[in-house]
């Protein structure tokens, strides 16, 4: 029997391999194996839908074909998102079989924990919104977008671990929104190359920043001040959400501390760069992440 991975396996591995490059630990080794499997299943789903929305699928059109489309549709983002949503519905239909291997891998997780379609559909809708909306007028508009693009992930983590409650969901939403904003700050230059700006227009006007300022190789004083302002907002959201860590126990507590720590370490990296995010995304070191995990656990002990 050949040990060469199939096209399906290669497509799935290409998506899952991106977990190593996230700001936060996706499914660390210290978690129970079942949790790791379920968290990676959710991550694979979320990463794939983002790759579709961002046009970051592996070349060749394999994912389009797996979703039942012609390989020529690999660049048709709306069609891919529609096909992906149709495949998601197969996850919840006992009489159907999902086409994509990452969605087939998601089905046992959905069944084991009684997960509902809502959070998964939210992530698809966020990527549809990315095709229509490329600028945000206000901070509230950005928060509304994060409700679709980020908050569902935290809710799914709580669902998988059996710890969801209204208060924990509220705290989780704050953390997830903060992490999304941090990612936007790190990726200002990359997002602009995709013709997307996630810095609210009202804040850009307040600090005297224009889009042409964001195309410079390094940030001027006004851009740095704007990034510092948005970073402080993200920090406040992390602080609002951090009591979630102290509300749970055991290894889940360490995992959630890792999420918070990832955001804080990334914000410290942005600050260490003088809030100049234009040359490239400031990234935290593994050591700085570990230090933040320890600090978070001590504060929430």
């Amino acid at each position: 029997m050949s040990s060469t991975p199939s096209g399906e396996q290669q497509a799935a591995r290409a998506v899952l391999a991106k977990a190593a490059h996230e700001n936060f630990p996706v499914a660390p080794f210290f978690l129970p194996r079942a949790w790791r499997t379920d968290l990676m299943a959710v991550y694979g789903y979320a990463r794939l839908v983002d790759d579709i929305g961002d046009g970051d699928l592996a070349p060749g059109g394999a994912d389009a074909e797996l979703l039942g489309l012609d390989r020529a549709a690999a660049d048709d983002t709306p069609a891919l998102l529609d096909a992906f949503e149709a495949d998601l519905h197969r996850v919840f239909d006992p009489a159907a079989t999902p086409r994509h291997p990452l969605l087939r891998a998601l089905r046992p997780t959905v069944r084991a924990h009684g997960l509902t379609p809502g959070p998964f559909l939210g992530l698809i809708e966020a990527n549809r919104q990315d095709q229509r909306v490329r600028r945000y007028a206000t901070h509230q508009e950005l928060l509304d977008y994060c409700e679709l693009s980020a908050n569902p992930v935290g809710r799914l983590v709580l669902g998988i671990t059996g710890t969801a409650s209204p208060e924990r969901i509220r705290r989780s939403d704050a953390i997830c929104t903060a992490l999304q904003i941090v990612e936007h700050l790190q990726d200002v230059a990359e997002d602009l190359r995709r013709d997307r700006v996630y810095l609210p227009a009202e804040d850009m006007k307040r600090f005297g920043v224009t889009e042409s300022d964001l195309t410079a190789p390094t940030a001027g004083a006004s851009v740095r001040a704007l990034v510092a302002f948005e970073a402080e907002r993200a920090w406040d959201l992390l602080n609002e959400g951090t009591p979630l860590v102290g509300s749970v126990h055991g290894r889940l507590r360490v995992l959630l501390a890792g999420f918070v720590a990832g955001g804080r370490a990334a914000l410290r990296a942005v600050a260490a760069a003088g809030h100049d995010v234009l040359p490239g995304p400031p990234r935290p070191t593994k050591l700085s992440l570990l230090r933040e995990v320890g600090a978070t656990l001590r504060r929430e002990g």
Side-chain angles (χ1 to χ4, degrees):
M1 179 181 290
S2 172
S3 61
T4 303
S6 68
E8 287 196 2
Q9 290 172 324
Q10 290 176 332
R13 288 177 184 177
V15 173
L16 296 175
K18 297 182 180 183
H21 305 290
E22 302 291 350
N23 276 337
F24 49 86
V26 173
F29 70 93
F30 58 79
L31 292 178
R33 181 183 296 274
W35 281 8
R36 295 202 308 271
T37 299
D38 291 333
L39 289 171
M40 285 304 296
V42 167
Y43 174 80
Y45 175 90
R47 183 70 269 166
L48 180 57
V49 71
D50 280 353
D51 285 351
I52 292 172
D54 291 339
D56 284 341
L57 292 175
D63 289 290
E65 191 171 64
L66 287 169
L67 290 170
L69 301 176
D70 188 276
R71 284 178 179 255
D75 296 324
D76 188 343
T77 299
L80 284 166
L81 289 172
D82 287 347
F84 190 74
E85 180 175 342
D87 213 26
L88 171 66
H89 287 300
R90 294 185 188 101
V91 172
F92 292 89
D93 181 356
T97 300
R99 294 176 179 271
H100 200 286
L102 290 174
L103 288 172
R104 290 201 296 273
L106 182 64
R107 173 177 264 176
T109 296
V110 164
R111 289 179 172 175
H113 303 286
L115 302 179
T116 60
F120 299 102
L121 290 169
L123 295 173
I124 295 174
E125 190 55 37
N127 281 276
R128 285 201 178 104
Q129 184 167 315
D130 275 335
Q131 311 310 306
R132 305 188 307 269
V133 181
R134 296 181 177 272
R135 305 293 188 276
Y136 290 84
T138 66
H139 181 60
Q140 184 57 53
E141 285 186 7
L142 188 63
L143 294 181
D144 292 342
Y145 168 71
C146 292
E147 174 69 18
L148 295 172
S149 67
N151 298 358
V153 176
R155 297 182 184 193
L156 289 169
V157 171
L158 295 177
I160 286 170
T161 58
T163 54
S165 70
E167 178 64 10
R168 284 179 177 145
I169 288 171
R170 186 179 73 81
R171 301 286 189 185
S172 171
D173 286 353
I175 293 169
C176 291
T177 291
L179 293 175
Q180 180 74 86
I181 291 173
V182 170
E183 184 177 330
H184 288 161
L185 293 179
Q186 291 174 303
D187 295 339
V188 167
E190 179 183 341
D191 287 336
L192 187 59
R193 287 192 291 271
R194 300 178 187 272
D195 191 29
R196 294 175 185 166
V197 178
Y198 293 102
L199 298 166
E202 64 180 3
D203 297 341
M204 291 177 66
K205 181 178 180 180
R206 172 181 172 181
F207 286 89
V209 173
T210 65
E211 286 192 23
S212 62
D213 294 327
L214 303 180
T215 65
T218 59
S222 58
V223 172
R224 292 173 188 245
L226 171 60
V227 171
F229 175 74
E230 304 297 351
E232 186 65 26
R233 278 178 159 170
W235 194 272
D236 289 343
L237 280 168
L238 283 174
N239 287 342
E240 181 183 338
T242 298
L244 175 65
V245 176
S247 77
V248 299
H249 304 283
R251 286 174 281 188
L252 176 58
R253 185 165 166 266
V254 180
L255 175 67
L256 298 182
F259 293 160
V260 173
R264 285 184 170 150
L267 286 172
R268 291 194 193 280
V270 169
H275 296 100
D276 184 2
V277 296
L278 299 187
R283 300 293 187 193
T285 65
K286 289 185 178 179
L287 179 58
S288 67
L289 176 59
L290 289 173
R291 285 174 174 166
E292 288 293 340
V293 169
T296 301
L297 289 171
R298 287 192 298 273
R299 279 193 295 266
E300 295 303 314

